[in-house]
Structures are given as C-alpha cells and as structure tokens.
PDB file of all heavy atoms in Angstrom:
ATOM      1  N   GLY A   1       0.807  -1.237   0.050  1.00 61.00           N
ATOM      2  CA  GLY A   1       0.003   0.072   0.024  1.00 61.00           C
ATOM      3  C   GLY A   1       0.792   1.300   0.048  1.00 61.00           C
ATOM      4  O   GLY A   1       0.344   2.311  -0.476  1.00 61.00           O
ATOM      5  N   GLU A   2       1.994   1.258   0.527  1.00 66.00           N
ATOM      6  CA  GLU A   2       2.854   2.367   0.599  1.00 66.00           C
ATOM      7  C   GLU A   2       3.947   2.323  -0.572  1.00 66.00           C
ATOM      8  O   GLU A   2       4.835   3.324  -0.439  1.00 66.00           O
ATOM      9  CB  GLU A   2       3.621   2.418   1.974  1.00 66.00           C
ATOM     10  CG  GLU A   2       2.768   2.538   3.194  1.00 66.00           C
ATOM     11  CD  GLU A   2       3.429   2.479   4.475  1.00 66.00           C
ATOM     12  OE1 GLU A   2       4.612   2.224   4.452  1.00 66.00           O
ATOM     13  OE2 GLU A   2       2.789   2.642   5.459  1.00 66.00           O
ATOM     14  N   SER A   3       3.806   1.488  -1.465  1.00 76.00           N
ATOM     15  CA  SER A   3       4.802   1.412  -2.551  1.00 76.00           C
ATOM     16  C   SER A   3       4.753   2.667  -3.440  1.00 76.00           C
ATOM     17  O   SER A   3       3.584   3.282  -3.534  1.00 76.00           O
ATOM     18  CB  SER A   3       4.580   0.195  -3.398  1.00 76.00           C
ATOM     19  OG  SER A   3       3.240   0.171  -3.955  1.00 76.00           O
ATOM     20  N   GLY A   4       5.812   3.067  -4.032  1.00 88.00           N
ATOM     21  CA  GLY A   4       5.778   4.186  -4.980  1.00 88.00           C
ATOM     22  C   GLY A   4       5.067   3.855  -6.272  1.00 88.00           C
ATOM     23  O   GLY A   4       4.753   2.739  -6.485  1.00 88.00           O
ATOM     24  N   TYR A   5       4.894   5.039  -6.961  1.00 91.00           N
ATOM     25  CA  TYR A   5       4.173   4.824  -8.301  1.00 91.00           C
ATOM     26  C   TYR A   5       4.726   3.919  -9.173  1.00 91.00           C
ATOM     27  O   TYR A   5       3.990   3.081  -9.789  1.00 91.00           O
ATOM     28  CB  TYR A   5       4.068   6.236  -8.954  1.00 91.00           C
ATOM     29  CG  TYR A   5       3.549   6.165 -10.364  1.00 91.00           C
ATOM     30  CD1 TYR A   5       2.225   5.924 -10.701  1.00 91.00           C
ATOM     31  CD2 TYR A   5       4.496   6.194 -11.518  1.00 91.00           C
ATOM     32  CE1 TYR A   5       1.775   5.741 -12.018  1.00 91.00           C
ATOM     33  CE2 TYR A   5       4.070   6.016 -12.831  1.00 91.00           C
ATOM     34  CZ  TYR A   5       2.667   5.882 -12.981  1.00 91.00           C
ATOM     35  OH  TYR A   5       2.148   5.696 -14.325  1.00 91.00           O
ATOM     36  N   TYR A   6       6.066   3.757  -9.340  1.00 94.00           N
ATOM     37  CA  TYR A   6       6.663   2.992 -10.327  1.00 94.00           C
ATOM     38  C   TYR A   6       6.478   1.472  -9.994  1.00 94.00           C
ATOM     39  O   TYR A   6       6.014   0.690 -10.936  1.00 94.00           O
ATOM     40  CB  TYR A   6       8.219   3.278 -10.465  1.00 94.00           C
ATOM     41  CG  TYR A   6       8.791   2.737 -11.692  1.00 94.00           C
ATOM     42  CD1 TYR A   6       8.605   3.461 -12.829  1.00 94.00           C
ATOM     43  CD2 TYR A   6       9.561   1.638 -11.623  1.00 94.00           C
ATOM     44  CE1 TYR A   6       9.409   2.959 -14.018  1.00 94.00           C
ATOM     45  CE2 TYR A   6      10.165   1.161 -12.831  1.00 94.00           C
ATOM     46  CZ  TYR A   6      10.119   1.791 -13.904  1.00 94.00           C
ATOM     47  OH  TYR A   6      10.720   1.373 -15.188  1.00 94.00           O
ATOM     48  N   LEU A   7       6.643   1.105  -8.815  1.00 94.00           N
ATOM     49  CA  LEU A   7       6.463  -0.269  -8.453  1.00 94.00           C
ATOM     50  C   LEU A   7       5.039  -0.658  -8.489  1.00 94.00           C
ATOM     51  O   LEU A   7       4.639  -1.661  -9.029  1.00 94.00           O
ATOM     52  CB  LEU A   7       6.929  -0.487  -7.009  1.00 94.00           C
ATOM     53  CG  LEU A   7       6.826  -1.889  -6.498  1.00 94.00           C
ATOM     54  CD1 LEU A   7       7.418  -3.001  -7.296  1.00 94.00           C
ATOM     55  CD2 LEU A   7       7.431  -1.913  -5.005  1.00 94.00           C
ATOM     56  N   ARG A   8       4.132   0.284  -8.012  1.00 94.00           N
ATOM     57  CA  ARG A   8       2.666  -0.075  -7.960  1.00 94.00           C
ATOM     58  C   ARG A   8       2.151  -0.151  -9.334  1.00 94.00           C
ATOM     59  O   ARG A   8       1.384  -1.116  -9.730  1.00 94.00           O
ATOM     60  CB  ARG A   8       1.968   1.053  -7.227  1.00 94.00           C
ATOM     61  CG  ARG A   8       0.455   0.845  -7.027  1.00 94.00           C
ATOM     62  CD  ARG A   8      -0.158   1.732  -6.087  1.00 94.00           C
ATOM     63  NE  ARG A   8      -0.092   3.197  -6.527  1.00 94.00           N
ATOM     64  CZ  ARG A   8       0.727   4.040  -6.041  1.00 94.00           C
ATOM     65  NH1 ARG A   8       1.508   3.774  -5.111  1.00 94.00           N
ATOM     66  NH2 ARG A   8       0.786   5.328  -6.547  1.00 94.00           N
ATOM     67  N   SER A   9       2.513   0.773 -10.287  1.00 96.00           N
ATOM     68  CA  SER A   9       1.921   0.686 -11.640  1.00 96.00           C
ATOM     69  C   SER A   9       2.582  -0.551 -12.486  1.00 96.00           C
ATOM     70  O   SER A   9       1.920  -1.027 -13.301  1.00 96.00           O
ATOM     71  CB  SER A   9       2.232   1.975 -12.272  1.00 96.00           C
ATOM     72  OG  SER A   9       3.717   2.300 -12.401  1.00 96.00           O
ATOM     73  N   PHE A  10       3.762  -0.959 -12.115  1.00 97.00           N
ATOM     74  CA  PHE A  10       4.383  -2.080 -12.682  1.00 97.00           C
ATOM     75  C   PHE A  10       3.571  -3.309 -12.269  1.00 97.00           C
ATOM     76  O   PHE A  10       3.199  -4.187 -13.138  1.00 97.00           O
ATOM     77  CB  PHE A  10       5.853  -2.215 -12.228  1.00 97.00           C
ATOM     78  CG  PHE A  10       6.707  -2.810 -13.198  1.00 97.00           C
ATOM     79  CD1 PHE A  10       8.057  -2.381 -13.369  1.00 97.00           C
ATOM     80  CD2 PHE A  10       6.329  -3.958 -14.067  1.00 97.00           C
ATOM     81  CE1 PHE A  10       8.911  -2.964 -14.261  1.00 97.00           C
ATOM     82  CE2 PHE A  10       7.193  -4.480 -14.929  1.00 97.00           C
ATOM     83  CZ  PHE A  10       8.506  -4.126 -14.956  1.00 97.00           C
ATOM     84  N   ALA A  11       3.230  -3.394 -11.042  1.00 96.00           N
ATOM     85  CA  ALA A  11       2.543  -4.581 -10.604  1.00 96.00           C
ATOM     86  C   ALA A  11       1.170  -4.559 -11.260  1.00 96.00           C
ATOM     87  O   ALA A  11       0.579  -5.642 -11.661  1.00 96.00           O
ATOM     88  CB  ALA A  11       2.379  -4.547  -9.098  1.00 96.00           C
ATOM     89  N   TYR A  12       0.636  -3.322 -11.409  1.00 97.00           N
ATOM     90  CA  TYR A  12      -0.833  -3.264 -11.883  1.00 97.00           C
ATOM     91  C   TYR A  12      -0.743  -3.647 -13.447  1.00 97.00           C
ATOM     92  O   TYR A  12      -1.596  -4.383 -13.896  1.00 97.00           O
ATOM     93  CB  TYR A  12      -1.170  -1.855 -11.808  1.00 97.00           C
ATOM     94  CG  TYR A  12      -2.435  -1.404 -12.544  1.00 97.00           C
ATOM     95  CD1 TYR A  12      -3.669  -1.737 -12.148  1.00 97.00           C
ATOM     96  CD2 TYR A  12      -2.417  -0.543 -13.798  1.00 97.00           C
ATOM     97  CE1 TYR A  12      -4.878  -1.396 -12.878  1.00 97.00           C
ATOM     98  CE2 TYR A  12      -3.567  -0.221 -14.416  1.00 97.00           C
ATOM     99  CZ  TYR A  12      -4.770  -0.699 -13.963  1.00 97.00           C
ATOM    100  OH  TYR A  12      -5.887  -0.289 -14.687  1.00 97.00           O
ATOM    101  N   ARG A  13       0.227  -3.269 -14.142  1.00 98.00           N
ATOM    102  CA  ARG A  13       0.318  -3.575 -15.655  1.00 98.00           C
ATOM    103  C   ARG A  13       0.424  -5.119 -15.832  1.00 98.00           C
ATOM    104  O   ARG A  13      -0.153  -5.668 -16.701  1.00 98.00           O
ATOM    105  CB  ARG A  13       1.432  -2.879 -16.252  1.00 98.00           C
ATOM    106  CG  ARG A  13       1.156  -1.373 -16.348  1.00 98.00           C
ATOM    107  CD  ARG A  13       2.220  -0.593 -17.014  1.00 98.00           C
ATOM    108  NE  ARG A  13       2.044   0.894 -16.768  1.00 98.00           N
ATOM    109  CZ  ARG A  13       2.606   1.910 -17.590  1.00 98.00           C
ATOM    110  NH1 ARG A  13       3.284   1.486 -18.616  1.00 98.00           N
ATOM    111  NH2 ARG A  13       2.420   3.085 -17.313  1.00 98.00           N
ATOM    112  N   ILE A  14       1.215  -5.712 -14.877  1.00 98.00           N
ATOM    113  CA  ILE A  14       1.479  -7.194 -15.014  1.00 98.00           C
ATOM    114  C   ILE A  14      -0.002  -7.913 -14.878  1.00 98.00           C
ATOM    115  O   ILE A  14      -0.302  -8.848 -15.555  1.00 98.00           O
ATOM    116  CB  ILE A  14       2.450  -7.636 -13.963  1.00 98.00           C
ATOM    117  CG1 ILE A  14       3.809  -7.157 -14.385  1.00 98.00           C
ATOM    118  CG2 ILE A  14       2.375  -9.187 -13.898  1.00 98.00           C
ATOM    119  CD1 ILE A  14       4.860  -7.479 -13.234  1.00 98.00           C
ATOM    120  N   LEU A  15      -0.633  -7.601 -13.747  1.00 98.00           N
ATOM    121  CA  LEU A  15      -1.842  -8.181 -13.480  1.00 98.00           C
ATOM    122  C   LEU A  15      -2.952  -7.931 -14.445  1.00 98.00           C
ATOM    123  O   LEU A  15      -3.774  -8.756 -14.737  1.00 98.00           O
ATOM    124  CB  LEU A  15      -2.293  -7.762 -12.042  1.00 98.00           C
ATOM    125  CG  LEU A  15      -1.451  -8.328 -10.914  1.00 98.00           C
ATOM    126  CD1 LEU A  15      -1.977  -7.773  -9.550  1.00 98.00           C
ATOM    127  CD2 LEU A  15      -1.395  -9.761 -10.913  1.00 98.00           C
ATOM    128  N   CYS A  16      -2.940  -6.694 -15.034  1.00 98.00           N
ATOM    129  CA  CYS A  16      -3.967  -6.370 -16.087  1.00 98.00           C
ATOM    130  C   CYS A  16      -3.722  -7.204 -17.335  1.00 98.00           C
ATOM    131  O   CYS A  16      -4.752  -7.677 -17.979  1.00 98.00           O
ATOM    132  CB  CYS A  16      -3.862  -4.893 -16.530  1.00 98.00           C
ATOM    133  SG  CYS A  16      -4.603  -3.776 -15.335  1.00 98.00           S
ATOM    134  N   LEU A  17      -2.484  -7.479 -17.727  1.00 98.00           N
ATOM    135  CA  LEU A  17      -2.255  -8.322 -18.861  1.00 98.00           C
ATOM    136  C   LEU A  17      -2.704  -9.771 -18.610  1.00 98.00           C
ATOM    137  O   LEU A  17      -3.323 -10.459 -19.548  1.00 98.00           O
ATOM    138  CB  LEU A  17      -0.707  -8.220 -19.228  1.00 98.00           C
ATOM    139  CG  LEU A  17      -0.353  -9.254 -20.413  1.00 98.00           C
ATOM    140  CD1 LEU A  17      -0.982  -8.747 -21.593  1.00 98.00           C
ATOM    141  CD2 LEU A  17       1.124  -9.329 -20.513  1.00 98.00           C
ATOM    142  N   VAL A  18      -2.332 -10.178 -17.468  1.00 98.00           N
ATOM    143  CA  VAL A  18      -2.617 -11.626 -17.131  1.00 98.00           C
ATOM    144  C   VAL A  18      -4.238 -11.813 -17.035  1.00 98.00           C
ATOM    145  O   VAL A  18      -4.690 -12.773 -17.538  1.00 98.00           O
ATOM    146  CB  VAL A  18      -1.972 -12.083 -15.752  1.00 98.00           C
ATOM    147  CG1 VAL A  18      -2.447 -13.495 -15.381  1.00 98.00           C
ATOM    148  CG2 VAL A  18      -0.497 -11.966 -15.978  1.00 98.00           C
ATOM    149  N   ALA A  19      -4.805 -10.765 -16.440  1.00 97.00           N
ATOM    150  CA  ALA A  19      -6.266 -10.838 -16.391  1.00 97.00           C
ATOM    151  C   ALA A  19      -6.862 -10.825 -17.788  1.00 97.00           C
ATOM    152  O   ALA A  19      -7.862 -11.581 -18.013  1.00 97.00           O
ATOM    153  CB  ALA A  19      -6.795  -9.640 -15.543  1.00 97.00           C
ATOM    154  N   THR A  20      -6.279 -10.142 -18.706  1.00 96.00           N
ATOM    155  CA  THR A  20      -6.894 -10.061 -20.027  1.00 96.00           C
ATOM    156  C   THR A  20      -6.641 -11.393 -20.761  1.00 96.00           C
ATOM    157  O   THR A  20      -7.609 -11.845 -21.406  1.00 96.00           O
ATOM    158  CB  THR A  20      -6.210  -8.949 -20.881  1.00 96.00           C
ATOM    159  OG1 THR A  20      -6.459  -7.627 -20.112  1.00 96.00           O
ATOM    160  CG2 THR A  20      -7.025  -8.806 -22.241  1.00 96.00           C
ATOM    161  N   CYS A  21      -5.542 -11.942 -20.595  1.00 96.00           N
ATOM    162  CA  CYS A  21      -5.143 -13.238 -21.300  1.00 96.00           C
ATOM    163  C   CYS A  21      -6.039 -14.326 -20.730  1.00 96.00           C
ATOM    164  O   CYS A  21      -6.688 -15.172 -21.481  1.00 96.00           O
ATOM    165  CB  CYS A  21      -3.692 -13.683 -21.025  1.00 96.00           C
ATOM    166  SG  CYS A  21      -2.467 -12.651 -21.864  1.00 96.00           S
ATOM    167  N   ARG A  22      -6.411 -14.352 -19.472  1.00 95.00           N
ATOM    168  CA  ARG A  22      -7.337 -15.233 -18.885  1.00 95.00           C
ATOM    169  C   ARG A  22      -8.680 -15.034 -19.336  1.00 95.00           C
ATOM    170  O   ARG A  22      -9.465 -15.959 -19.502  1.00 95.00           O
ATOM    171  CB  ARG A  22      -7.262 -15.138 -17.266  1.00 95.00           C
ATOM    172  CG  ARG A  22      -6.082 -15.862 -16.764  1.00 95.00           C
ATOM    173  CD  ARG A  22      -6.027 -15.893 -15.331  1.00 95.00           C
ATOM    174  NE  ARG A  22      -7.266 -16.271 -14.725  1.00 95.00           N
ATOM    175  CZ  ARG A  22      -7.696 -17.578 -14.548  1.00 95.00           C
ATOM    176  NH1 ARG A  22      -6.963 -18.466 -15.126  1.00 95.00           N
ATOM    177  NH2 ARG A  22      -8.739 -17.846 -13.896  1.00 95.00           N
ATOM    178  N   LEU A  23      -9.132 -13.817 -19.503  1.00 92.00           N
ATOM    179  CA  LEU A  23     -10.496 -13.538 -20.152  1.00 92.00           C
ATOM    180  C   LEU A  23     -10.657 -14.198 -21.457  1.00 92.00           C
ATOM    181  O   LEU A  23     -11.607 -14.874 -21.714  1.00 92.00           O
ATOM    182  CB  LEU A  23     -10.678 -12.035 -20.246  1.00 92.00           C
ATOM    183  CG  LEU A  23     -11.109 -11.287 -18.916  1.00 92.00           C
ATOM    184  CD1 LEU A  23     -11.007  -9.790 -19.229  1.00 92.00           C
ATOM    185  CD2 LEU A  23     -12.529 -11.588 -18.539  1.00 92.00           C
ATOM    186  N   ILE A  24      -9.677 -14.068 -22.301  1.00 90.00           N
ATOM    187  CA  ILE A  24      -9.624 -14.602 -23.632  1.00 90.00           C
ATOM    188  C   ILE A  24      -9.604 -16.164 -23.552  1.00 90.00           C
ATOM    189  O   ILE A  24     -10.334 -16.870 -24.308  1.00 90.00           O
ATOM    190  CB  ILE A  24      -8.488 -14.097 -24.402  1.00 90.00           C
ATOM    191  CG1 ILE A  24      -8.629 -12.587 -24.646  1.00 90.00           C
ATOM    192  CG2 ILE A  24      -8.411 -14.844 -25.684  1.00 90.00           C
ATOM    193  CD1 ILE A  24      -7.452 -11.857 -25.249  1.00 90.00           C
ATOM    194  N   GLU A  25      -8.819 -16.809 -22.688  1.00 87.00           N
ATOM    195  CA  GLU A  25      -8.801 -18.091 -22.461  1.00 87.00           C
ATOM    196  C   GLU A  25     -10.134 -18.704 -22.119  1.00 87.00           C
ATOM    197  O   GLU A  25     -10.601 -19.682 -22.626  1.00 87.00           O
ATOM    198  CB  GLU A  25      -7.708 -18.579 -21.344  1.00 87.00           C
ATOM    199  CG  GLU A  25      -6.371 -18.706 -21.832  1.00 87.00           C
ATOM    200  CD  GLU A  25      -5.454 -19.390 -20.788  1.00 87.00           C
ATOM    201  OE1 GLU A  25      -5.622 -19.103 -19.583  1.00 87.00           O
ATOM    202  OE2 GLU A  25      -4.537 -19.998 -21.230  1.00 87.00           O
ATOM    203  N   ARG A  26     -10.801 -18.050 -21.200  1.00 84.00           N
ATOM    204  CA  ARG A  26     -12.128 -18.456 -20.835  1.00 84.00           C
ATOM    205  C   ARG A  26     -13.197 -18.463 -21.877  1.00 84.00           C
ATOM    206  O   ARG A  26     -14.137 -19.254 -21.938  1.00 84.00           O
ATOM    207  CB  ARG A  26     -12.598 -17.668 -19.522  1.00 84.00           C
ATOM    208  CG  ARG A  26     -11.922 -18.058 -18.318  1.00 84.00           C
ATOM    209  CD  ARG A  26     -12.641 -17.617 -17.049  1.00 84.00           C
ATOM    210  NE  ARG A  26     -12.692 -16.111 -16.940  1.00 84.00           N
ATOM    211  CZ  ARG A  26     -11.720 -15.420 -16.390  1.00 84.00           C
ATOM    212  NH1 ARG A  26     -10.704 -15.960 -15.849  1.00 84.00           N
ATOM    213  NH2 ARG A  26     -11.853 -14.039 -16.300  1.00 84.00           N
ATOM    214  N   GLN A  27     -13.049 -17.442 -22.703  1.00 79.00           N
ATOM    215  CA  GLN A  27     -14.016 -17.346 -23.818  1.00 79.00           C
ATOM    216  C   GLN A  27     -13.884 -18.533 -24.745  1.00 79.00           C
ATOM    217  O   GLN A  27     -14.824 -19.125 -25.269  1.00 79.00           O
ATOM    218  CB  GLN A  27     -13.721 -16.104 -24.777  1.00 79.00           C
ATOM    219  CG  GLN A  27     -13.988 -14.803 -23.974  1.00 79.00           C
ATOM    220  CD  GLN A  27     -15.513 -14.674 -23.461  1.00 79.00           C
ATOM    221  OE1 GLN A  27     -16.371 -15.006 -24.297  1.00 79.00           O
ATOM    222  NE2 GLN A  27     -15.718 -14.408 -22.228  1.00 79.00           N
ATOM    223  N   ALA A  28     -12.748 -19.049 -24.826  1.00 69.00           N
ATOM    224  CA  ALA A  28     -12.496 -20.289 -25.730  1.00 69.00           C
ATOM    225  C   ALA A  28     -13.094 -21.537 -25.178  1.00 69.00           C
ATOM    226  O   ALA A  28     -13.289 -22.470 -25.844  1.00 69.00           O
ATOM    227  CB  ALA A  28     -10.934 -20.466 -25.911  1.00 69.00           C
ATOM    228  N   LEU A  29     -13.364 -21.429 -23.813  1.00 56.00           N
ATOM    229  CA  LEU A  29     -14.012 -22.647 -23.127  1.00 56.00           C
ATOM    230  C   LEU A  29     -15.395 -22.931 -23.727  1.00 56.00           C
ATOM    231  O   LEU A  29     -15.852 -24.129 -23.536  1.00 56.00           O
ATOM    232  CB  LEU A  29     -13.861 -22.493 -21.690  1.00 56.00           C
ATOM    233  CG  LEU A  29     -12.570 -22.529 -21.051  1.00 56.00           C
ATOM    234  CD1 LEU A  29     -12.790 -22.139 -19.539  1.00 56.00           C
ATOM    235  CD2 LEU A  29     -11.836 -23.735 -21.147  1.00 56.00           C
ATOM    236  N   TYR A  30     -16.078 -21.891 -24.104  1.00 50.00           N
ATOM    237  CA  TYR A  30     -17.525 -22.024 -24.477  1.00 50.00           C
ATOM    238  C   TYR A  30     -17.669 -22.461 -25.891  1.00 50.00           C
ATOM    239  O   TYR A  30     -18.815 -22.606 -26.368  1.00 50.00           O
ATOM    240  CB  TYR A  30     -18.190 -20.630 -24.250  1.00 50.00           C
ATOM    241  CG  TYR A  30     -18.106 -20.217 -22.771  1.00 50.00           C
ATOM    242  CD1 TYR A  30     -17.211 -19.357 -22.337  1.00 50.00           C
ATOM    243  CD2 TYR A  30     -18.947 -20.886 -21.894  1.00 50.00           C
ATOM    244  CE1 TYR A  30     -17.237 -18.890 -21.053  1.00 50.00           C
ATOM    245  CE2 TYR A  30     -18.886 -20.503 -20.526  1.00 50.00           C
ATOM    246  CZ  TYR A  30     -17.985 -19.543 -20.103  1.00 50.00           C
ATOM    247  OH  TYR A  30     -17.947 -19.257 -18.778  1.00 50.00           O
TER     248      TYR A  30
END
C-alpha cells in the first residue's frame, strides 16, 4: 500500500495483462 508509483503501476500492468489473457482463455472454453 505504501509502494511508490513505479512499483505499484508495474504490478498493476502485469496483473492487467494476465487478467486479459485469462479472459480470452475463458472465452475459448465455450
């Protein structure tokens, strides 16, 4: 919670990409 912008936004970008890849993967299940 106290991390600086660079570290926080880096983690955010990683998780956003992984979340999007998983969204696409789940669509293929149907």
Side-chain angles (χ1 to χ4, degrees):
E2 296 176 357
S3 61
Y5 167 79
Y6 198 77
L7 177 55
R8 183 170 63 255
S9 60
F10 210 142
Y12 171 75
R13 294 181 190 201
I14 291 171
L15 294 176
C16 281
L17 175 68
V18 174
T20 306
C21 290
R22 281 183 49 76
L23 281 170
I24 294 171
E25 274 192 326
R26 286 198 293 274
Q27 292 303 310
L29 294 176
Y30 299 103

